[in-house]
Amino acid sequence: MLPPIPSGWKPLLQNEAKSLAYRGLDAFLEQEVAEGRTILPARQDIFRALRVTPYENVKVLLLGQDPYPTPGIAHGLCFSVRPRVRSLPPSLKNIYRELCDDVGCRIPNNGYLEPWARQGVLMLNAVLTVRARSPNSHRGRGWETVTDRVIELIDAKPSRVVFVLWGGEARKKRMLITKAHHVVITCAHPSPLSARRFFGCRCFSHINQALAETAMAPIDWQIPDV
């Protein structure tokens, strides 16, 4: 079931890929498929975040929880949706509202956030698959071993990385970030349940300020229309 780990990350994750936990995860996903369950995102998109943002390019890590469980929406980048999806998830609508208030971005006609990923924003979910229409259904099945290792590898980078942890689940990963030259930005999750505390966080301008402090190029947050 599991596709190959993208070539740029494969040597870094070789121990995890050989582990019993990884084999158990693969067997669990195979069983899900054998029992007729739909796994999201599509197989070719499971490692899309790692494929679009190679290790050497990572300068921001935006951490999500698990993929959108509605078929036809998730494509492997946290918070992002496929280009032609027009009915955006509430969390993404709130992200756009904060982007507009914080850095003046025009709200686009889509929620396809891959332009951020191509600028060095690793848009990683802690759990990379989900059973259709069943949020958190693949939590605790082995993905956390892989994604925790990704966070540790990024923490080991000698250049600054800005870690963005929205909500309580993401903040639990704070203990994996140990190097003093990195910047960690935390705030409430953009979900409607906590958006009142998310609005006004100014995360996007804070990210660019942290990058500028080490002469790194800022992120162009404007998503183009498609």
Side-chain angles (χ1 to χ4, degrees):
M1 170 66 190
L2 284 170
I5 295 173
S7 58
W9 289 87
K10 188 174 182 178
L12 300 172
L13 295 170
Q14 58 182 335
N15 290 337
E16 284 65 37
K18 295 175 182 176
S19 69
L20 287 174
Y22 196 80
R23 291 201 293 270
L25 169 64
D26 195 26
F28 165 72
L29 296 175
E30 290 280 6
Q31 182 180 357
E32 291 274 88
V33 173
E35 292 176 355
R37 298 188 174 100
T38 300
I39 305 302
L40 302 176
R43 181 178 182 271
Q44 68 269 19
D45 286 333
I46 290 175
F47 289 126
R48 189 180 187 90
L50 300 182
R51 187 168 70 248
V52 177
T53 311
Y55 178 74
E56 61 271 18
N57 292 357
V58 176
K59 56 185 181 182
V60 179
L61 171 61
L62 177 57
L63 187 64
Q65 295 180 25
D66 66 342
Y68 294 119
T70 303
I73 292 182
H75 67 109
L77 305 183
C78 69
F79 297 104
S80 182
V81 301
R82 293 180 179 278
R84 299 299 174 184
V85 173
R86 291 295 179 262
S87 181
L88 301 186
S91 292
L92 184 49
K93 289 181 181 179
N94 290 335
I95 289 170
Y96 279 167
R97 175 177 162 180
E98 179 62 23
L99 266 171
C100 181
D101 292 345
D102 183 13
V103 294
C105 284
R106 169 186 47 80
I107 296 178
N109 67 352
N110 68 94
Y112 185 63
L113 305 182
E114 191 160 307
W116 295 355
R118 296 194 179 279
Q119 296 177 73
V121 182
L122 179 61
M123 305 180 66
L124 183 73
N125 278 312
V127 175
L128 299 187
T129 58
V130 69
R131 186 185 304 160
R133 302 180 181 86
S134 184
N136 289 315
S137 49
H138 290 179
R139 185 176 179 180
R141 294 291 184 168
W143 276 123
E144 293 86 351
T145 300
V146 178
T147 56
D148 281 0
R149 181 57 181 155
V150 169
I151 296 171
E152 291 171 347
L153 288 165
I154 295 170
D155 180 57
K157 286 176 68 85
S159 56
R160 169 170 287 182
V161 175
V162 184
F163 293 82
V164 185
L165 310 179
W166 289 340
E169 287 300 314
R171 286 197 296 272
K172 291 177 183 178
K173 305 297 183 180
R174 179 65 179 84
M175 63 183 180
L176 301 174
I177 306 163
T178 63
K179 304 300 188 295
H181 60 279
H182 298 316
V183 171
V184 181
I185 295 174
T186 64
C187 70
H189 195 277
S191 160
L193 297 175
S194 53
R196 179 177 56 83
R197 290 177 286 116
F198 174 75
F199 294 136
C201 67
R202 298 183 59 82
C203 287
F204 305 100
S205 57
H206 290 330
I207 292 167
N208 279 350
Q209 179 182 352
L211 295 174
E213 287 171 356
T214 54
M216 300 175 75
I219 304 300
D220 179 0
W221 296 112
Q222 181 63 64
I223 296 295
D225 288 337
V226 296

